[in-house]
Amino acid sequence: MRRNKKERQELLQQTIKATPFITDEELAGKFGVSIQTIRLDRLELSIPELRERIKNVAEKTLEDEVKSLSLDEVIGEIIDLELDDQAISILEIKQEHVFSRNQIARGHHLFAQANSLAVAIIDDELALTASADIRFTRQVKQGERVVAKAKVTAVEKDKGRTVVEVNSFVAEEIVFSGRFDMYRSKHS
């Protein structure tokens, strides 16, 4: 049974709200219309494409999970987070991150990515870096992508401390490593 445009668009909104990761192809099959019709309906309804919907859901999930700082305070983009366990972020090295003379990334950007990831991983409203033991193992150049992987290695909630190990990579090569001793409130 073919629906009129208004009915189809109402059902389209409901369907996407219930299943935000549904593809245009699946929607076209479900409603018996062309993919182009679905795209036009989405455009009229201001519903973003699948990639943008996935990104929005991921950002909303991270906003709900990260307790110790706001997402705009994180250096890099968090792509995976399990509080008090592990996290991953990505930082694209751009012109604003490098020395103009040699296009080598300034170390404080790599440190900031790792440190903010160590703060974000803490399942607590308050997380501060008490100390850090860091090592840069190679220069990072403009245009490279740095993937930081954080892992909680020790939690002493009664002492208000958590140890987070962070290793940052370009491709498979380690470029930075750090051990962050994090302070957290004792009642979490």
Side-chain angles (χ1 to χ4, degrees):
M1 180 182 124
R2 299 225 14 128
R3 296 176 177 88
N4 69 36
K5 182 177 177 178
K6 185 178 179 188
E7 290 173 336
R8 183 183 66 242
Q9 287 184 347
E10 286 174 9
L11 286 171
L12 178 69
Q13 283 181 307
Q14 292 171 7
T15 303
I16 290 176
K17 186 174 183 177
T19 54
F21 302 140
I22 193 167
T23 66
D24 287 349
E25 291 79 9
E26 292 168 325
L27 289 166
K30 179 178 177 93
F31 294 112
V33 296
S34 70
I35 295 169
Q36 187 61 31
T37 299
I38 293 296
R39 290 180 180 151
L40 289 170
D41 284 348
R42 276 194 308 94
L43 186 64
E44 282 183 36
L45 298 168
S46 299
I47 298 172
E49 65 177 331
L50 176 62
R51 247 172 101 191
E52 198 61 34
R53 292 194 310 266
I54 292 170
K55 183 179 173 188
N56 292 341
V57 169
E59 285 175 356
K60 176 73 174 120
T61 301
L62 288 173
E63 283 175 14
D64 292 344
E65 287 185 23
V66 177
K67 296 179 179 179
S68 52
L69 71 169
S70 66
L71 280 181
D72 61 339
E73 295 172 320
V74 175
I75 307 301
E77 179 183 349
I78 296 178
I79 59 167
D80 184 36
L81 175 68
E82 294 176 39
L83 293 174
D84 280 344
D85 186 18
Q86 63 185 12
I88 299 172
S89 75
I90 296 173
L91 178 63
E92 300 282 345
I93 302 301
K94 299 178 182 170
Q95 185 175 1
E96 64 265 21
H97 301 120
V98 301
F99 293 107
S100 59
R101 193 177 76 225
N102 54 19
Q103 285 68 51
I104 293 173
R106 295 182 174 112
H108 67 270
H109 292 294
L110 300 179
F111 173 81
Q113 178 191 20
N115 187 63
S116 64
L117 192 59
V119 171
I121 201 172
I122 304 297
D123 188 7
D124 199 325
E125 296 290 328
L126 177 64
L128 303 169
T129 305
S131 66
D133 180 20
I134 64 170
R135 181 168 289 115
F136 295 92
T137 53
R138 92 146 165 86
Q139 299 170 344
V140 177
K141 296 269 192 176
Q142 182 175 338
E144 292 185 311
R145 174 185 288 186
V146 180
V147 178
K149 298 180 180 183
K151 179 82 177 144
V152 171
T153 57
V155 177
E156 299 174 357
K157 286 187 179 180
D158 58 323
K159 293 182 180 178
R161 298 294 174 134
T162 298
V163 176
V164 180
E165 304 269 341
V166 181
N167 292 302
S168 299
F169 302 85
V170 170
E172 300 297 316
E173 186 178 1
I174 194 161
V175 296
F176 173 93
S177 61
R179 180 184 182 277
F180 295 84
D181 185 14
M182 306 301 295
Y183 170 81
R184 63 192 298 157
S185 62
K186 295 179 183 171
H187 305 295
S188 295

PDB file of all heavy atoms in Angstrom, residues 103-141:
ATOM      1  N   GLN A 103      57.383  21.879  10.721  1.00  0.00           N
ATOM      2  CA  GLN A 103      56.130  21.106  10.701  1.00  0.00           C
ATOM      3  C   GLN A 103      56.131  19.911  11.666  1.00  0.00           C
ATOM      4  O   GLN A 103      55.449  18.909  11.445  1.00  0.00           O
ATOM      5  CB  GLN A 103      55.767  20.623   9.284  1.00  0.00           C
ATOM      6  CG  GLN A 103      55.235  21.707   8.376  1.00  0.00           C
ATOM      7  CD  GLN A 103      56.290  22.731   8.017  1.00  0.00           C
ATOM      8  OE1 GLN A 103      57.376  22.376   7.572  1.00  0.00           O
ATOM      9  NE2 GLN A 103      55.999  23.996   8.230  1.00  0.00           N
ATOM     10  N   ILE A 104      56.891  20.018  12.748  1.00  0.00           N
ATOM     11  CA  ILE A 104      56.895  18.988  13.795  1.00  0.00           C
ATOM     12  C   ILE A 104      55.904  19.417  14.871  1.00  0.00           C
ATOM     13  O   ILE A 104      55.892  20.581  15.293  1.00  0.00           O
ATOM     14  CB  ILE A 104      58.312  18.799  14.385  1.00  0.00           C
ATOM     15  CG1 ILE A 104      59.237  18.216  13.314  1.00  0.00           C
ATOM     16  CG2 ILE A 104      58.272  17.902  15.609  1.00  0.00           C
ATOM     17  CD1 ILE A 104      60.695  18.154  13.741  1.00  0.00           C
ATOM     18  N   ALA A 105      55.088  18.464  15.326  1.00  0.00           N
ATOM     19  CA  ALA A 105      54.074  18.765  16.335  1.00  0.00           C
ATOM     20  C   ALA A 105      54.733  19.208  17.633  1.00  0.00           C
ATOM     21  O   ALA A 105      55.738  18.637  18.064  1.00  0.00           O
ATOM     22  CB  ALA A 105      53.204  17.535  16.588  1.00  0.00           C
ATOM     23  N   ARG A 106      54.155  20.213  18.236  1.00  0.00           N
ATOM     24  CA  ARG A 106      54.602  20.656  19.555  1.00  0.00           C
ATOM     25  C   ARG A 106      54.218  19.589  20.572  1.00  0.00           C
ATOM     26  O   ARG A 106      53.090  19.090  20.564  1.00  0.00           O
ATOM     27  CB  ARG A 106      53.960  21.985  19.911  1.00  0.00           C
ATOM     28  CG  ARG A 106      54.386  23.111  19.007  1.00  0.00           C
ATOM     29  CD  ARG A 106      53.718  24.409  19.477  1.00  0.00           C
ATOM     30  NE  ARG A 106      54.223  25.524  18.711  1.00  0.00           N
ATOM     31  CZ  ARG A 106      53.498  26.211  17.846  1.00  0.00           C
ATOM     32  NH1 ARG A 106      52.239  25.902  17.647  1.00  0.00           N
ATOM     33  NH2 ARG A 106      54.032  27.213  17.196  1.00  0.00           N
ATOM     34  N   GLY A 107      55.136  19.272  21.456  1.00  0.00           N
ATOM     35  CA  GLY A 107      54.922  18.203  22.428  1.00  0.00           C
ATOM     36  C   GLY A 107      53.738  18.415  23.341  1.00  0.00           C
ATOM     37  O   GLY A 107      53.090  17.450  23.758  1.00  0.00           O
ATOM     38  N   HIS A 108      53.431  19.655  23.642  1.00  0.00           N
ATOM     39  CA  HIS A 108      52.326  19.880  24.577  1.00  0.00           C
ATOM     40  C   HIS A 108      50.982  19.443  24.002  1.00  0.00           C
ATOM     41  O   HIS A 108      50.069  19.124  24.749  1.00  0.00           O
ATOM     42  CB  HIS A 108      52.293  21.334  25.080  1.00  0.00           C
ATOM     43  CG  HIS A 108      51.970  22.357  24.061  1.00  0.00           C
ATOM     44  ND1 HIS A 108      52.929  22.988  23.299  1.00  0.00           N
ATOM     45  CD2 HIS A 108      50.778  22.883  23.685  1.00  0.00           C
ATOM     46  CE1 HIS A 108      52.349  23.867  22.504  1.00  0.00           C
ATOM     47  NE2 HIS A 108      51.048  23.812  22.706  1.00  0.00           N
ATOM     48  N   HIS A 109      50.860  19.367  22.676  1.00  0.00           N
ATOM     49  CA  HIS A 109      49.606  18.871  22.086  1.00  0.00           C
ATOM     50  C   HIS A 109      49.474  17.364  22.294  1.00  0.00           C
ATOM     51  O   HIS A 109      48.388  16.872  22.615  1.00  0.00           O
ATOM     52  CB  HIS A 109      49.529  19.204  20.595  1.00  0.00           C
ATOM     53  CG  HIS A 109      49.393  20.666  20.326  1.00  0.00           C
ATOM     54  ND1 HIS A 109      48.289  21.405  20.689  1.00  0.00           N
ATOM     55  CD2 HIS A 109      50.243  21.544  19.739  1.00  0.00           C
ATOM     56  CE1 HIS A 109      48.457  22.662  20.331  1.00  0.00           C
ATOM     57  NE2 HIS A 109      49.641  22.775  19.753  1.00  0.00           N
ATOM     58  N   LEU A 110      50.570  16.630  22.134  1.00  0.00           N
ATOM     59  CA  LEU A 110      50.535  15.181  22.366  1.00  0.00           C
ATOM     60  C   LEU A 110      50.278  14.888  23.839  1.00  0.00           C
ATOM     61  O   LEU A 110      49.509  13.992  24.187  1.00  0.00           O
ATOM     62  CB  LEU A 110      51.836  14.525  21.909  1.00  0.00           C
ATOM     63  CG  LEU A 110      52.190  14.686  20.431  1.00  0.00           C
ATOM     64  CD1 LEU A 110      53.509  14.003  20.119  1.00  0.00           C
ATOM     65  CD2 LEU A 110      51.088  14.153  19.551  1.00  0.00           C
ATOM     66  N   PHE A 111      50.932  15.662  24.713  1.00  0.00           N
ATOM     67  CA  PHE A 111      50.704  15.503  26.147  1.00  0.00           C
ATOM     68  C   PHE A 111      49.247  15.820  26.487  1.00  0.00           C
ATOM     69  O   PHE A 111      48.603  15.087  27.237  1.00  0.00           O
ATOM     70  CB  PHE A 111      51.643  16.403  26.957  1.00  0.00           C
ATOM     71  CG  PHE A 111      51.330  16.382  28.429  1.00  0.00           C
ATOM     72  CD1 PHE A 111      51.789  15.352  29.225  1.00  0.00           C
ATOM     73  CD2 PHE A 111      50.556  17.386  29.000  1.00  0.00           C
ATOM     74  CE1 PHE A 111      51.486  15.317  30.590  1.00  0.00           C
ATOM     75  CE2 PHE A 111      50.245  17.355  30.349  1.00  0.00           C
ATOM     76  CZ  PHE A 111      50.712  16.319  31.145  1.00  0.00           C
ATOM     77  N   ALA A 112      48.733  16.918  25.940  1.00  0.00           N
ATOM     78  CA  ALA A 112      47.356  17.327  26.238  1.00  0.00           C
ATOM     79  C   ALA A 112      46.346  16.281  25.784  1.00  0.00           C
ATOM     80  O   ALA A 112      45.355  16.023  26.481  1.00  0.00           O
ATOM     81  CB  ALA A 112      47.053  18.678  25.592  1.00  0.00           C
ATOM     82  N   GLN A 113      46.585  15.661  24.631  1.00  0.00           N
ATOM     83  CA  GLN A 113      45.686  14.606  24.168  1.00  0.00           C
ATOM     84  C   GLN A 113      45.680  13.453  25.170  1.00  0.00           C
ATOM     85  O   GLN A 113      44.621  12.987  25.593  1.00  0.00           O
ATOM     86  CB  GLN A 113      46.111  14.095  22.793  1.00  0.00           C
ATOM     87  CG  GLN A 113      45.238  12.952  22.284  1.00  0.00           C
ATOM     88  CD  GLN A 113      45.787  12.258  21.047  1.00  0.00           C
ATOM     89  OE1 GLN A 113      46.970  12.350  20.743  1.00  0.00           O
ATOM     90  NE2 GLN A 113      44.912  11.571  20.335  1.00  0.00           N
ATOM     91  N   ALA A 114      46.862  13.003  25.560  1.00  0.00           N
ATOM     92  CA  ALA A 114      46.970  11.879  26.492  1.00  0.00           C
ATOM     93  C   ALA A 114      46.413  12.240  27.867  1.00  0.00           C
ATOM     94  O   ALA A 114      45.676  11.463  28.478  1.00  0.00           O
ATOM     95  CB  ALA A 114      48.434  11.444  26.612  1.00  0.00           C
ATOM     96  N   ASN A 115      46.740  13.427  28.363  1.00  0.00           N
ATOM     97  CA  ASN A 115      46.297  13.842  29.690  1.00  0.00           C
ATOM     98  C   ASN A 115      44.781  14.011  29.748  1.00  0.00           C
ATOM     99  O   ASN A 115      44.136  13.570  30.694  1.00  0.00           O
ATOM    100  CB  ASN A 115      47.003  15.136  30.095  1.00  0.00           C
ATOM    101  CG  ASN A 115      46.720  15.507  31.521  1.00  0.00           C
ATOM    102  OD1 ASN A 115      47.074  14.790  32.445  1.00  0.00           O
ATOM    103  ND2 ASN A 115      46.074  16.643  31.718  1.00  0.00           N
ATOM    104  N   SER A 116      44.194  14.639  28.729  1.00  0.00           N
ATOM    105  CA  SER A 116      42.744  14.824  28.744  1.00  0.00           C
ATOM    106  C   SER A 116      42.020  13.484  28.615  1.00  0.00           C
ATOM    107  O   SER A 116      40.951  13.290  29.195  1.00  0.00           O
ATOM    108  CB  SER A 116      42.285  15.807  27.664  1.00  0.00           C
ATOM    109  OG  SER A 116      42.539  15.336  26.367  1.00  0.00           O
ATOM    110  N   LEU A 117      42.617  12.525  27.916  1.00  0.00           N
ATOM    111  CA  LEU A 117      42.030  11.185  27.825  1.00  0.00           C
ATOM    112  C   LEU A 117      42.108  10.486  29.188  1.00  0.00           C
ATOM    113  O   LEU A 117      41.165   9.815  29.606  1.00  0.00           O
ATOM    114  CB  LEU A 117      42.742  10.366  26.747  1.00  0.00           C
ATOM    115  CG  LEU A 117      42.069   9.064  26.325  1.00  0.00           C
ATOM    116  CD1 LEU A 117      40.661   9.305  25.789  1.00  0.00           C
ATOM    117  CD2 LEU A 117      42.907   8.346  25.282  1.00  0.00           C
ATOM    118  N   ALA A 118      43.228  10.680  29.893  1.00  0.00           N
ATOM    119  CA  ALA A 118      43.375  10.101  31.235  1.00  0.00           C
ATOM    120  C   ALA A 118      42.362  10.698  32.205  1.00  0.00           C
ATOM    121  O   ALA A 118      41.841  10.000  33.074  1.00  0.00           O
ATOM    122  CB  ALA A 118      44.803  10.314  31.747  1.00  0.00           C
ATOM    123  N   VAL A 119      42.046  11.967  32.052  1.00  0.00           N
ATOM    124  CA  VAL A 119      41.033  12.605  32.899  1.00  0.00           C
ATOM    125  C   VAL A 119      39.642  12.077  32.521  1.00  0.00           C
ATOM    126  O   VAL A 119      38.842  11.718  33.385  1.00  0.00           O
ATOM    127  CB  VAL A 119      41.088  14.143  32.769  1.00  0.00           C
ATOM    128  CG1 VAL A 119      39.902  14.796  33.474  1.00  0.00           C
ATOM    129  CG2 VAL A 119      42.401  14.682  33.331  1.00  0.00           C
ATOM    130  N   ALA A 120      39.352  12.000  31.231  1.00  0.00           N
ATOM    131  CA  ALA A 120      38.021  11.593  30.759  1.00  0.00           C
ATOM    132  C   ALA A 120      37.665  10.168  31.150  1.00  0.00           C
ATOM    133  O   ALA A 120      36.498   9.857  31.361  1.00  0.00           O
ATOM    134  CB  ALA A 120      37.937  11.745  29.234  1.00  0.00           C
ATOM    135  N   ILE A 121      38.655   9.305  31.282  1.00  0.00           N
ATOM    136  CA  ILE A 121      38.401   7.895  31.576  1.00  0.00           C
ATOM    137  C   ILE A 121      37.947   7.675  33.022  1.00  0.00           C
ATOM    138  O   ILE A 121      37.331   6.663  33.343  1.00  0.00           O
ATOM    139  CB  ILE A 121      39.665   7.052  31.255  1.00  0.00           C
ATOM    140  CG1 ILE A 121      39.315   5.585  31.043  1.00  0.00           C
ATOM    141  CG2 ILE A 121      40.695   7.170  32.356  1.00  0.00           C
ATOM    142  CD1 ILE A 121      40.487   4.768  30.534  1.00  0.00           C
ATOM    143  N   ILE A 122      38.203   8.652  33.892  1.00  0.00           N
ATOM    144  CA  ILE A 122      37.889   8.516  35.309  1.00  0.00           C
ATOM    145  C   ILE A 122      36.385   8.637  35.546  1.00  0.00           C
ATOM    146  O   ILE A 122      35.755   9.602  35.120  1.00  0.00           O
ATOM    147  CB  ILE A 122      38.633   9.589  36.151  1.00  0.00           C
ATOM    148  CG1 ILE A 122      40.143   9.514  35.912  1.00  0.00           C
ATOM    149  CG2 ILE A 122      38.292   9.457  37.629  1.00  0.00           C
ATOM    150  CD1 ILE A 122      40.795   8.226  36.326  1.00  0.00           C
ATOM    151  N   ASP A 123      35.819   7.660  36.229  1.00  0.00           N
ATOM    152  CA  ASP A 123      34.388   7.629  36.539  1.00  0.00           C
ATOM    153  C   ASP A 123      34.146   8.415  37.830  1.00  0.00           C
ATOM    154  O   ASP A 123      33.860   7.848  38.884  1.00  0.00           O
ATOM    155  CB  ASP A 123      33.916   6.187  36.685  1.00  0.00           C
ATOM    156  CG  ASP A 123      32.403   6.074  36.822  1.00  0.00           C
ATOM    157  OD1 ASP A 123      31.708   7.098  36.665  1.00  0.00           O
ATOM    158  OD2 ASP A 123      31.923   4.959  37.099  1.00  0.00           O
ATOM    159  N   ASP A 124      34.311   9.733  37.726  1.00  0.00           N
ATOM    160  CA  ASP A 124      34.187  10.599  38.895  1.00  0.00           C
ATOM    161  C   ASP A 124      33.978  12.028  38.411  1.00  0.00           C
ATOM    162  O   ASP A 124      34.444  12.393  37.340  1.00  0.00           O
ATOM    163  CB  ASP A 124      35.475  10.519  39.733  1.00  0.00           C
ATOM    164  CG  ASP A 124      35.291  10.997  41.155  1.00  0.00           C
ATOM    165  OD1 ASP A 124      34.507  11.942  41.387  1.00  0.00           O
ATOM    166  OD2 ASP A 124      35.940  10.432  42.049  1.00  0.00           O
ATOM    167  N   GLU A 125      33.286  12.821  39.196  1.00  0.00           N
ATOM    168  CA  GLU A 125      33.079  14.231  38.861  1.00  0.00           C
ATOM    169  C   GLU A 125      34.383  15.013  38.927  1.00  0.00           C
ATOM    170  O   GLU A 125      34.559  16.001  38.236  1.00  0.00           O
ATOM    171  CB  GLU A 125      32.056  14.858  39.817  1.00  0.00           C
ATOM    172  CG  GLU A 125      30.672  14.265  39.723  1.00  0.00           C
ATOM    173  CD  GLU A 125      29.949  14.610  38.438  1.00  0.00           C
ATOM    174  OE1 GLU A 125      30.176  15.706  37.900  1.00  0.00           O
ATOM    175  OE2 GLU A 125      29.164  13.771  37.976  1.00  0.00           O
ATOM    176  N   LEU A 126      35.297  14.584  39.806  1.00  0.00           N
ATOM    177  CA  LEU A 126      36.556  15.284  39.993  1.00  0.00           C
ATOM    178  C   LEU A 126      37.714  14.360  39.630  1.00  0.00           C
ATOM    179  O   LEU A 126      37.865  13.286  40.205  1.00  0.00           O
ATOM    180  CB  LEU A 126      36.709  15.733  41.454  1.00  0.00           C
ATOM    181  CG  LEU A 126      38.031  16.412  41.801  1.00  0.00           C
ATOM    182  CD1 LEU A 126      38.167  17.726  41.030  1.00  0.00           C
ATOM    183  CD2 LEU A 126      38.136  16.650  43.286  1.00  0.00           C
ATOM    184  N   ALA A 127      38.508  14.761  38.666  1.00  0.00           N
ATOM    185  CA  ALA A 127      39.699  14.013  38.269  1.00  0.00           C
ATOM    186  C   ALA A 127      40.781  15.014  37.902  1.00  0.00           C
ATOM    187  O   ALA A 127      40.581  15.860  37.037  1.00  0.00           O
ATOM    188  CB  ALA A 127      39.398  13.089  37.099  1.00  0.00           C
ATOM    189  N   LEU A 128      41.912  14.916  38.583  1.00  0.00           N
ATOM    190  CA  LEU A 128      43.035  15.821  38.351  1.00  0.00           C
ATOM    191  C   LEU A 128      44.306  15.000  38.208  1.00  0.00           C
ATOM    192  O   LEU A 128      44.455  13.960  38.846  1.00  0.00           O
ATOM    193  CB  LEU A 128      43.206  16.789  39.535  1.00  0.00           C
ATOM    194  CG  LEU A 128      41.998  17.641  39.891  1.00  0.00           C
ATOM    195  CD1 LEU A 128      42.219  18.338  41.222  1.00  0.00           C
ATOM    196  CD2 LEU A 128      41.728  18.652  38.797  1.00  0.00           C
ATOM    197  N   THR A 129      45.230  15.485  37.414  1.00  0.00           N
ATOM    198  CA  THR A 129      46.508  14.804  37.263  1.00  0.00           C
ATOM    199  C   THR A 129      47.391  15.162  38.450  1.00  0.00           C
ATOM    200  O   THR A 129      47.724  16.328  38.660  1.00  0.00           O
ATOM    201  CB  THR A 129      47.195  15.219  35.954  1.00  0.00           C
ATOM    202  OG1 THR A 129      46.291  14.966  34.868  1.00  0.00           O
ATOM    203  CG2 THR A 129      48.492  14.455  35.743  1.00  0.00           C
ATOM    204  N   ALA A 130      47.764  14.151  39.246  1.00  0.00           N
ATOM    205  CA  ALA A 130      48.646  14.361  40.396  1.00  0.00           C
ATOM    206  C   ALA A 130      50.102  14.353  39.936  1.00  0.00           C
ATOM    207  O   ALA A 130      50.909  15.166  40.376  1.00  0.00           O
ATOM    208  CB  ALA A 130      48.403  13.294  41.456  1.00  0.00           C
ATOM    209  N   SER A 131      50.426  13.410  39.040  1.00  0.00           N
ATOM    210  CA  SER A 131      51.775  13.356  38.475  1.00  0.00           C
ATOM    211  C   SER A 131      51.729  12.584  37.173  1.00  0.00           C
ATOM    212  O   SER A 131      50.787  11.835  36.913  1.00  0.00           O
ATOM    213  CB  SER A 131      52.762  12.707  39.451  1.00  0.00           C
ATOM    214  OG  SER A 131      52.439  11.343  39.643  1.00  0.00           O
ATOM    215  N   ALA A 132      52.775  12.772  36.366  1.00  0.00           N
ATOM    216  CA  ALA A 132      52.844  12.073  35.082  1.00  0.00           C
ATOM    217  C   ALA A 132      54.292  11.752  34.771  1.00  0.00           C
ATOM    218  O   ALA A 132      55.186  12.568  34.996  1.00  0.00           O
ATOM    219  CB  ALA A 132      52.243  12.919  33.973  1.00  0.00           C
ATOM    220  N   ASP A 133      54.510  10.540  34.292  1.00  0.00           N
ATOM    221  CA  ASP A 133      55.825  10.116  33.812  1.00  0.00           C
ATOM    222  C   ASP A 133      55.649   9.882  32.317  1.00  0.00           C
ATOM    223  O   ASP A 133      54.943   8.947  31.913  1.00  0.00           O
ATOM    224  CB  ASP A 133      56.260   8.838  34.530  1.00  0.00           C
ATOM    225  CG  ASP A 133      57.615   8.334  34.073  1.00  0.00           C
ATOM    226  OD1 ASP A 133      58.392   9.124  33.498  1.00  0.00           O
ATOM    227  OD2 ASP A 133      57.898   7.138  34.291  1.00  0.00           O
ATOM    228  N   ILE A 134      56.223  10.758  31.496  1.00  0.00           N
ATOM    229  CA  ILE A 134      55.960  10.696  30.059  1.00  0.00           C
ATOM    230  C   ILE A 134      57.242  10.511  29.262  1.00  0.00           C
ATOM    231  O   ILE A 134      58.343  10.820  29.739  1.00  0.00           O
ATOM    232  CB  ILE A 134      55.224  11.957  29.562  1.00  0.00           C
ATOM    233  CG1 ILE A 134      56.092  13.212  29.733  1.00  0.00           C
ATOM    234  CG2 ILE A 134      53.888  12.109  30.277  1.00  0.00           C
ATOM    235  CD1 ILE A 134      55.539  14.439  29.044  1.00  0.00           C
ATOM    236  N   ARG A 135      57.066   9.998  28.040  1.00  0.00           N
ATOM    237  CA  ARG A 135      58.210   9.783  27.145  1.00  0.00           C
ATOM    238  C   ARG A 135      57.742   9.981  25.705  1.00  0.00           C
ATOM    239  O   ARG A 135      56.763   9.381  25.266  1.00  0.00           O
ATOM    240  CB  ARG A 135      58.736   8.366  27.330  1.00  0.00           C
ATOM    241  CG  ARG A 135      59.939   8.051  26.462  1.00  0.00           C
ATOM    242  CD  ARG A 135      60.612   6.743  26.868  1.00  0.00           C
ATOM    243  NE  ARG A 135      61.276   6.938  28.159  1.00  0.00           N
ATOM    244  CZ  ARG A 135      60.929   6.316  29.288  1.00  0.00           C
ATOM    245  NH1 ARG A 135      59.936   5.472  29.295  1.00  0.00           N
ATOM    246  NH2 ARG A 135      61.583   6.531  30.399  1.00  0.00           N
ATOM    247  N   PHE A 136      58.442  10.848  24.993  1.00  0.00           N
ATOM    248  CA  PHE A 136      58.215  11.030  23.563  1.00  0.00           C
ATOM    249  C   PHE A 136      59.212  10.124  22.849  1.00  0.00           C
ATOM    250  O   PHE A 136      60.407  10.173  23.138  1.00  0.00           O
ATOM    251  CB  PHE A 136      58.456  12.494  23.152  1.00  0.00           C
ATOM    252  CG  PHE A 136      57.475  13.453  23.771  1.00  0.00           C
ATOM    253  CD1 PHE A 136      57.753  14.087  24.979  1.00  0.00           C
ATOM    254  CD2 PHE A 136      56.263  13.719  23.144  1.00  0.00           C
ATOM    255  CE1 PHE A 136      56.854  14.969  25.544  1.00  0.00           C
ATOM    256  CE2 PHE A 136      55.357  14.602  23.708  1.00  0.00           C
ATOM    257  CZ  PHE A 136      55.650  15.229  24.911  1.00  0.00           C
ATOM    258  N   THR A 137      58.745   9.291  21.928  1.00  0.00           N
ATOM    259  CA  THR A 137      59.641   8.328  21.284  1.00  0.00           C
ATOM    260  C   THR A 137      59.978   8.663  19.834  1.00  0.00           C
ATOM    261  O   THR A 137      60.928   8.112  19.293  1.00  0.00           O
ATOM    262  CB  THR A 137      59.048   6.904  21.357  1.00  0.00           C
ATOM    263  OG1 THR A 137      57.725   6.923  20.838  1.00  0.00           O
ATOM    264  CG2 THR A 137      59.025   6.423  22.800  1.00  0.00           C
ATOM    265  N   ARG A 138      59.188   9.534  19.201  1.00  0.00           N
ATOM    266  CA  ARG A 138      59.545  10.036  17.873  1.00  0.00           C
ATOM    267  C   ARG A 138      58.759  11.289  17.564  1.00  0.00           C
ATOM    268  O   ARG A 138      57.724  11.543  18.150  1.00  0.00           O
ATOM    269  CB  ARG A 138      59.374   8.972  16.801  1.00  0.00           C
ATOM    270  CG  ARG A 138      58.027   8.930  16.106  1.00  0.00           C
ATOM    271  CD  ARG A 138      58.210   8.505  14.639  1.00  0.00           C
ATOM    272  NE  ARG A 138      57.016   8.115  13.969  1.00  0.00           N
ATOM    273  CZ  ARG A 138      56.189   8.959  13.350  1.00  0.00           C
ATOM    274  NH1 ARG A 138      56.385  10.260  13.383  1.00  0.00           N
ATOM    275  NH2 ARG A 138      55.133   8.510  12.707  1.00  0.00           N
ATOM    276  N   GLN A 139      59.280  12.074  16.630  1.00  0.00           N
ATOM    277  CA  GLN A 139      58.609  13.300  16.219  1.00  0.00           C
ATOM    278  C   GLN A 139      57.342  12.958  15.433  1.00  0.00           C
ATOM    279  O   GLN A 139      57.293  11.967  14.714  1.00  0.00           O
ATOM    280  CB  GLN A 139      59.533  14.130  15.330  1.00  0.00           C
ATOM    281  CG  GLN A 139      60.809  14.553  16.006  1.00  0.00           C
ATOM    282  CD  GLN A 139      61.797  15.161  15.022  1.00  0.00           C
ATOM    283  OE1 GLN A 139      61.669  15.015  13.815  1.00  0.00           O
ATOM    284  NE2 GLN A 139      62.799  15.841  15.565  1.00  0.00           N
ATOM    285  N   VAL A 140      56.351  13.811  15.593  1.00  0.00           N
ATOM    286  CA  VAL A 140      55.112  13.671  14.836  1.00  0.00           C
ATOM    287  C   VAL A 140      55.019  14.872  13.904  1.00  0.00           C
ATOM    288  O   VAL A 140      55.243  16.008  14.306  1.00  0.00           O
ATOM    289  CB  VAL A 140      53.891  13.613  15.775  1.00  0.00           C
ATOM    290  CG1 VAL A 140      52.601  13.546  14.978  1.00  0.00           C
ATOM    291  CG2 VAL A 140      54.005  12.423  16.718  1.00  0.00           C
ATOM    292  N   LYS A 141      54.686  14.617  12.648  1.00  0.00           N
ATOM    293  CA  LYS A 141      54.654  15.660  11.621  1.00  0.00           C
ATOM    294  C   LYS A 141      53.219  16.084  11.296  1.00  0.00           C
ATOM    295  O   LYS A 141      52.267  15.329  11.519  1.00  0.00           O
ATOM    296  CB  LYS A 141      55.301  15.143  10.327  1.00  0.00           C
ATOM    297  CG  LYS A 141      56.776  14.820  10.464  1.00  0.00           C
ATOM    298  CD  LYS A 141      57.562  16.023  10.120  1.00  0.00           C
ATOM    299  CE  LYS A 141      59.039  15.681   9.961  1.00  0.00           C
ATOM    300  NZ  LYS A 141      59.788  16.839   9.545  1.00  0.00           N
TER     301      LYS A 141
END
